[in-house]
Amino acid sequence: MTYAAVVLPVPLSRSYIYEVPESLAARVVPGARVVVPLRRRSVVGIVTEAVGHLPSAGIDVKPIIAAPDDEPAISAPLLELGRWMSDYYGAPLGLSLRAILPGPLWSVARPAGPAPAAERVLVLTGNGMDSLLERERRFKRAPQRRVVYETVEALGGSAPVSHLVEQLRLSRNSIDGLVREGLARIEHVPEIRDPFAGLSTPPPPSLTEDQRRVVEGIRGTDLHQPALIHGVTGSGKTLVYLDLLRAVVQSGNGAILLVPEIALTPQTVARVRGVFGDSVAVLHSGLSDGERADAWRALRRGERLVAVGPRSAVFAPVQRLGAIVVDEEHEPSYKQGSAPRYHARDAAAMRAQLEGARLILGSATPSLETLSDERIVTFTLPDRVEARPLPPVEVVDLRSAPRIAAPETPPGAIPWSEALDIAISGALERGEQVILLLNRRGFATFVQCPACGNVPGCPQCAIALTVHQTPPVMRCHYCGHEEPIPETCVVCGHATQRLRGLGTQQLEHFLGLRYPRARIARMDLDTTSSKWAHHHILDRVARGEIDILLGTQMIAKGLDFPNVTVVGVVDADTGLHFPDFRAGERTFQLVAQVAGRAGRGARGGRVFVQTRAPDHHAIRAAAAHSVSQFAAAELPLRSPPNPPYPPRTGLVRFVISHEDNARAAELAEKVASWLRRAVPSVLGPAPCPLMRLKGKWRWHVLAKSAEPRVLGRVVRAWRAKPHRDVTVDRDPVSLL
Ligand code: ADP
Ligand code: ZN
């Protein structure tokens, strides 16, 4: 009799032993999917090894039920990658393997087919509602209906019912009420089509001299040597990636191109398809389970050679892997937020090493980790294509710059400098486009009582509630808790309340008043919760139907619109003072990236950065488009005699959370004293900057060491005796 060790997709490192029936013996090899009995159910697991004899006699071993695949679902190098993630990040092997294989392949039943083909959409009929009197009469006794009506109005007159009910949490009754009154009707429209279907843009006819130099330079370096393409915004990095990958594919090998999800626009996909046609599989988040499983199989069988996608595409089952490109390698979204808390760039480096593939990183604002890594060779693209200049950046000091008074708001509520205002008006007059960044969604950041200073906070989280309009509500951005906006102070009873802190909704409202003829679109989490929403917004910008695009950090990445001549950073300081050692780096990257959206066409462009910290090194370096200037100022802050931080040291963060604060603190102290025995430098325990989240108190402890082995030992020791109130995050990207 032979046996196999099988790992299940659960937070456990141990494997289960099953008997291998003779008929399945050929298929039950390491990496193979198997269906096995577990208590009274059947579950899918992964074979990790053959077991010669049972560890102890007399244990009850059940036989494997099925082995559905001809080839193991997880190749030998991917299984090895799973083991590495498990060891490096201190995550149970079951979770690492679950991350590697897409969800539908873990289901015993056959994966579901594509999503249903029709969608219910609420369409306003407009019956007499232009008259304000009529509107008042109709909605006087139906405030909920008014909210629905005005929300759909704000969304352009129609919206999917599922979006209104599930994302915006509007009432179904009010929707039905509007339909009964003839103010709206329900239409069944075909499911919005995949905006990526059939796209293809042929590549530019030839590489620029700089691009050719980088392509040849990288081809000339040893395959095992990772490369960084440090190219300014608009230097044509994408074409360099595609040219390198084309050679890989032409020699019969496969490739992976990782991009941040938000940068996976139809434009990007079209460029990739323009080179690889049908040999590429695009693994975007909009795929249905069935489509995802199909794409996975096509790659596994070698029918498609190139995978393009966000973070998890690093595990795509590409055959004969020749190269992995990580575009925008500095992006925090490459880090997974739950176990295994892997960083896709680092997982890509390990996978490339395991499969003998080339690793290519690219960014206009590389992370300090990458810049300080001596194994990486850097290739630069110092200029934009077609000798277009980088846009000049004007830093506007909000403390002293002349300002425009905003109608309907208290003085100073909207930071609007004359310089930015004049630039926008000029661009609009010339028919050019404007991009405005404000990295804070909602209407106002918080409500404050002008008499006693009280700020309503979330009862579950230690954070102020953010004010939203349409529908009017205060909402917690961490747990989603909602409350009505108070008219009087709950503490002192004062009769009026003040809205403080500018959010994107209020900015949109202000822009509408200030530039009444401009066509304005807002892109943030609230306007992009439905499938494909951000593609529709960007499409309209590309077609010239939008004059001003405003939004959160979502609009800072990868956009290439030649008619954008003015970029404004409305408030560069929103993240500058976060209690996180990367606050400066994030601000630098965000401002430099959004500045890079200006002047990509023949008309050139200008950037305005409004700030109250014009001398901060992050702002100054971003204004100079200079990564080296930023690194030269920032690295000493993370090096001795200052307390060292990455990249000067490795970091592991333990977060302890519990309903009872005293219990959390006590447990944190236990974790810290356990750590102090193994690691020379331990910080804390201390309350997390975000002290309370979803009803739990949070404490954290940081372990630092320049020796990766020391931290590796610690996370593996922790993995062996995990605690359900403690999470471990190696190389954390956020300390909040
Ligand atoms: P980056 O990613 O470095 O910001 P992109 O790859 O978006 O830059 O390229 C910027 C613009 O330059 C795009 O519109 C692209 O089509 C164009 N471009 C890139 N390479 C060339 C080339 N060799 N010839 C002509 N146009 C190019
Ligand atoms: Zn909350």
Side-chain angles (χ1 to χ4, degrees), residues 667-692:
L667 190 54
E669 183 47 52
K670 276 195 191 136
V671 172
S673 56
W674 176 80
L675 275 172
R676 280 184 212 111
R677 273 178 261 138
V679 189
S681 173
V682 174
L683 285 188
C688 295
L690 193 57
M691 258 169 70
R692 205 162 124 80

Side-chain angles (χ1 to χ4, degrees), residues 204 206 208 211 232-239 271 385 560 600:
S206 58
T208 65
Q211 286 170 328
V232 298
T233 53
S235 59
K237 293 184 286 296
T238 311
L239 193 58
R271 284 196 207 167
V385 294
D560 184 39
R600 290 177 159 248

Side-chain angles (χ1 to χ4, degrees), residues 458-463 465 476-481 692-695:
C458 176
Q460 306 285 322
C461 312
I463 195 94
L465 292 169
C476 172
H477 279 186
Y478 286 94
C479 73
H481 168 87
R692 205 162 124 80
L693 187 64
K694 300 179 186 174

Side-chain angles (χ1 to χ4, degrees), residues 14 38 64 71 133 223 300 483 492 527 544 606:
R14 61 161 292 204
L38 183 74
I64 290 173
E71 297 278 331
L133 276 178
L223 195 65
R300 182 73 183 97
E483 286 178 23
C492 74
T527 62
R606 291 158 72 197

Side-chain angles (χ1 to χ4, degrees), residues 39-324:
R39 293 189 202 99
R40 250 169 252 136
R41 296 178 305 139
S42 305
V43 295
V44 172
I46 301 291
V47 176
T48 50
E49 59 189 343
V51 178
H53 50 86
L54 291 178
S56 55
I59 58 168
D60 178 27
V61 177
K62 298 201 176 80
I64 290 173
I65 298 170
D69 310 316
D70 301 336
E71 297 278 331
I74 298 186
S75 64
L78 277 175
L79 191 56
E80 200 49 42
L81 183 67
R83 290 209 169 91
W84 170 79
M85 277 202 291
S86 197
D87 287 349
Y88 185 87
Y89 294 103
L93 184 58
L95 293 188
S96 291
L97 297 185
R98 188 170 74 181
I100 287 177
L101 209 57
L105 283 125
W106 291 101
S107 145
V108 175
R110 291 190 65 77
E119 178 167 51
R120 296 172 71 227
V121 174
L122 187 71
V123 183
L124 303 184
T125 52
N127 288 340
M129 297 300 278
D130 293 341
S131 144
L132 280 182
L133 276 178
E134 173 64 10
R135 196 175 275 229
E136 286 308 316
R137 193 187 63 77
R138 289 265 199 171
F139 289 138
K140 196 151 188 224
R141 296 224 161 63
Q144 287 297 325
R145 264 180 224 174
R146 175 195 287 267
V147 169
V148 176
Y149 192 91
E150 294 184 347
T151 302
V152 178
E153 222 173 16
L155 292 171
S158 68
V161 174
S162 60
H163 176 61
L164 298 173
V165 174
E166 281 151 33
Q167 265 98 26
L168 303 178
R169 300 192 215 155
L170 297 173
S171 103
R172 244 178 231 283
N173 278 342
S174 311
I175 293 175
D176 295 343
L178 288 175
V179 173
R180 269 198 311 278
E181 281 197 52
L183 295 175
R185 60 173 184 274
I186 300 278
E187 286 183 3
H188 293 263
V189 301
E191 175 85 16
I192 302 158
R193 244 165 46 95
D194 178 349
F196 297 137
L199 289 176
S200 171
T201 313
S206 58
L207 299 181
T208 65
E209 232 172 87
D210 271 349
Q211 286 170 328
R212 191 181 321 276
R213 173 178 50 74
V214 172
V215 166
E216 281 166 9
I218 291 179
R219 283 205 196 113
T221 56
D222 186 88
L223 195 65
H224 303 292
Q225 182 128 39
L228 166 69
I229 304 175
H230 177 184
V232 298
T233 53
S235 59
K237 293 184 286 296
T238 311
L239 193 58
V240 173
Y241 308 146
L242 294 180
D243 207 69
L244 286 161
L245 296 188
R246 175 164 41 197
V248 169
V249 171
Q250 273 166 359
S251 63
N253 293 324
I256 297 175
L257 171 59
L258 295 184
V259 290
E261 175 84 50
I262 194 74
L264 198 57
T265 59
Q267 215 178 7
T268 316
V269 172
R271 284 196 207 167
V272 177
R273 289 236 184 91
V275 173
F276 297 112
D278 284 338
S279 51
V280 47
V282 182
L283 305 170
H284 55 86
S285 64
L287 295 180
S288 68
D289 276 0
E291 290 165 333
R292 186 170 300 277
D294 287 348
W296 184 90
R297 288 201 184 88
L299 289 163
R300 182 73 183 97
R301 293 196 203 106
E303 293 159 11
R304 305 214 172 194
L305 283 176
V306 183
V308 179
R311 187 171 64 221
S312 61
V314 71
F315 307 123
V318 169
Q319 299 297 292
R320 299 179 301 280
L321 186 66
I324 309 180

